[in-house]
Amino acid sequence: MEIFEELKERGLIAQVTDEAEIRSLINAGGARFYIGFDPTADSLHVGHFMALCLMKRLQMAGNRPVVLLGGGTGYIGDPTGRTDMRSMLTPETIEHNCQCFKKQMERFIEFGKDKALIVNNADWLLDLNYIDLLREVGACFTVNNMLRAECYKQRMEKGLSFLEFNYMIMQAYDFWHLNETYGCNMQFGGDDQWSNMLAGTELIRKKSGKDAYAMTITLLLNSEGKKMGKTAKGAVWLDENKTSPYEFYQYWRNIDDADVMKCIKMLTFIPIEKIRDIDNWSSERINEKKEILAYELTKLVHGEEKADKAQAMAKAAFGGGGELPEKDISVENPTVINVLVAAGICASNGEARRLIQQGGVSVGNSKVSDINTLINNGDVIHKGKKIHVKINLK
């Protein structure tokens, strides 16, 4: 199967410009494409994971990725999908985050001569002369069209800052610059980026008379229509110091039944023929499907050894033997409420108390109803069905 057809079967393609041309370029390995990553944190998260997997698939098919770090656009902040303005980041924070992104991306993308390229738009955006930008780029846009863009609509009622209003122009300028400098002929992104991406293709056509293409990938949503990768504690990170391999494994192991095959298709590198076979398994094998998903994604992000360990920990939590994740803590009075907070299982005494009162905490095989229940060294605390921790008292 050609790569474009495989992307379609995996459910990855949302919208395209000039589909016939894009299909021909991608299938022939002729796409030099880019995806942008704004450094809003010091780690990539599951929201970026899908884009990284797409880049990897396309590189394996002979196409050349250009990774664009938003060291310049990070000064503005993308308003897409936001109900309020992003916090302003310092130059030092932006640079630190860019370096963190680079290290993580090297696990997925092969960089080097005639391979993938990594660039930072700070190298050209920060030196732009404002008047020149208005004359060279601003003249190619109409405010009427910009205001109709989906990325701005939800912000109009609360107020869209002029700073953020410029984001579309900056992103379009990126595509034009990459096209002129590196021969980049295609842009990929989430389907919430469609308006910004069209702006880039139009700018290239107006200024250079060249053809440029854009394709959006389907945003990964759960069965309730919310973005995946979110938990009660925040985002699911690719940095193991922020989301451990075990927590990462458990996140995917516990997704809704209705989302399992969608995630297997979109995110794993299991051959499409095998996926078709898995899709035909009976509903009684849903947990087996979830284990495959969790293991494959943990292996992709953290490596086989850590994926094996995370899987063993998960099986141990459900009575299958093996090792559990452990927490070393020191508390004067090791009551269950104090231990829950000290071990980071709950963020506060109030959260721990409510969880216990609602029957969401077990020690060993016994539900806990008293917040003053004492915890012994080596006890296993269970928070709901997803978090299981062996406690080592110091």
Side-chain angles (χ1 to χ4, degrees):
M1 180 184 293
E2 300 274 23
I3 183 63
F4 186 84
E5 284 66 38
E6 181 177 342
L7 295 180
K8 292 189 78 169
E9 182 162 348
R10 288 180 180 272
L12 287 166
I13 300 176
Q15 300 174 90
V16 297
T17 62
D18 313 288
E19 181 172 336
E21 289 84 353
I22 290 176
R23 175 188 283 106
S24 178
L25 268 174
I26 289 176
N27 286 346
R32 178 170 286 201
F33 66 95
Y34 94 91
I35 299 179
F37 300 82
D38 274 353
T40 54
D42 60 0
S43 172
L44 298 163
H45 53 67
V46 166
H48 300 116
F49 182 48
M50 193 170 183
L52 291 170
C53 289
L54 177 65
M55 296 187 100
K56 184 178 178 71
R57 290 185 205 282
L58 290 168
Q59 186 177 43
M60 291 168 64
N63 298 283
R64 189 173 182 191
V66 177
V67 174
L68 177 64
L69 297 176
T73 44
Y75 280 78
I76 298 175
D78 186 357
T80 303
R82 303 283 299 186
T83 57
D84 55 1
M85 186 172 169
R86 293 181 185 274
S87 300
M88 292 274 197
L89 300 177
T90 66
E92 294 77 17
T93 298
I94 291 172
E95 177 58 25
H96 171 73
N97 292 350
C98 283
Q99 294 304 317
C100 292
F101 277 24
K102 283 182 182 179
K103 291 179 182 178
Q104 292 180 332
M105 287 172 173
E106 288 172 351
R107 303 178 199 164
F108 299 89
I109 311 301
E110 191 174 0
F111 294 100
K113 186 179 179 181
D114 298 325
K115 295 177 183 175
L117 180 68
I118 187 164
V119 294
N120 188 327
N121 62 17
D123 293 340
W124 56 87
L125 292 182
L126 297 188
D127 292 331
L128 279 176
N129 179 291
Y130 187 57
I131 297 299
D132 289 344
L133 176 67
L134 290 178
R135 289 173 63 88
E136 291 295 316
V137 180
C140 298
F141 292 83
T142 67
V143 172
N144 290 17
N145 284 339
M146 292 175 72
L147 291 177
R148 282 195 287 268
E150 288 296 327
C151 58
Y152 292 145
K153 281 183 179 178
Q154 69 183 81
R155 291 295 305 281
M156 293 301 292
E157 291 184 9
K158 286 194 173 183
L160 176 71
S161 71
F162 183 70
L163 175 72
E164 295 171 294
F165 188 62
N166 280 268
Y167 193 92
M168 180 186 289
I169 294 176
M170 296 293 97
Q171 185 167 333
Y173 186 88
D174 281 342
F175 197 0
W176 177 74
H177 178 87
L178 293 173
N179 180 268
E180 290 288 298
T181 308
Y182 302 105
C184 189
N185 55 19
M186 199 175 299
Q187 180 183 6
F188 289 87
D191 56 10
D192 57 347
Q193 290 285 317
W194 185 238
S195 299
N196 290 347
M197 293 165 66
L198 288 180
T201 62
E202 288 304 306
L203 180 62
I204 291 171
R205 284 168 178 159
K206 287 178 180 178
K207 288 189 64 64
S208 307
K210 301 176 185 176
D211 286 327
Y213 309 102
M215 186 176 95
T216 59
I217 55 179
T218 306
L219 290 176
L220 194 55
L221 304 174
N222 65 21
S223 56
E224 296 178 353
K226 300 174 183 177
K227 284 188 180 180
M228 285 193 170
K230 299 290 185 181
T231 69
K233 292 184 178 181
V236 176
W237 303 98
L238 305 193
D239 184 343
E240 65 179 86
N241 295 314
K242 298 168 80 72
T243 299
S244 72
Y246 172 75
E247 291 169 327
F248 189 84
Y249 179 96
Q250 284 295 91
Y251 172 78
W252 296 107
R253 175 63 181 78
N254 290 293
I255 66 169
D256 291 342
D257 293 1
D259 297 318
V260 178
M261 285 310 305
K262 177 170 63 177
C263 292
I264 288 177
K265 290 176 181 178
M266 289 183 167
L267 297 176
T268 75
F269 285 78
I270 297 172
I272 199 71
E273 296 80 8
K274 176 63 175 175
I275 290 177
R276 291 173 188 155
D277 179 54
I278 294 172
D279 201 14
N280 289 324
W281 289 357
S282 67
S283 58
E284 286 78 13
R285 299 181 70 180
I286 186 63
N287 286 330
E288 190 176 345
K289 293 179 182 181
K290 290 184 178 183
E291 288 173 358
I292 290 172
L293 173 66
Y295 181 79
E296 289 296 322
L297 298 190
T298 306
K299 181 173 69 172
L300 186 60
V301 173
H302 297 293
E304 187 171 1
E305 182 179 348
K306 291 177 181 177
D308 288 340
K309 187 173 182 180
Q311 187 173 64
M313 287 179 176
K315 290 182 180 298
F318 293 95
E323 300 179 3
L324 278 168
E326 300 183 16
K327 289 282 186 177
D328 296 334
I329 64 170
S330 178
V331 288
E332 290 187 9
N333 184 22
T335 60
V336 65
I337 190 170
N338 289 339
V339 170
L340 284 168
V341 176
I345 299 171
C346 292
S348 65
N349 284 349
E351 180 189 338
R353 184 179 291 106
R354 286 191 297 273
L355 191 67
I356 292 168
Q357 291 171 346
Q358 293 166 3
V361 176
S362 299
V363 176
N365 295 319
S366 303
K367 288 278 188 184
V368 175
S369 57
D370 183 355
I371 63 173
N372 293 312
T373 298
L374 290 175
I375 300 300
N376 299 309
N377 187 48
D379 279 349
V380 176
I381 293 183
H382 306 273
K383 178 184 177 183
K385 296 181 179 179
K386 299 182 180 181
I387 296 177
H388 318 274
V389 180
K390 182 179 178 182
I391 301 300
N392 295 325
L393 297 175
K394 301 297 183 183

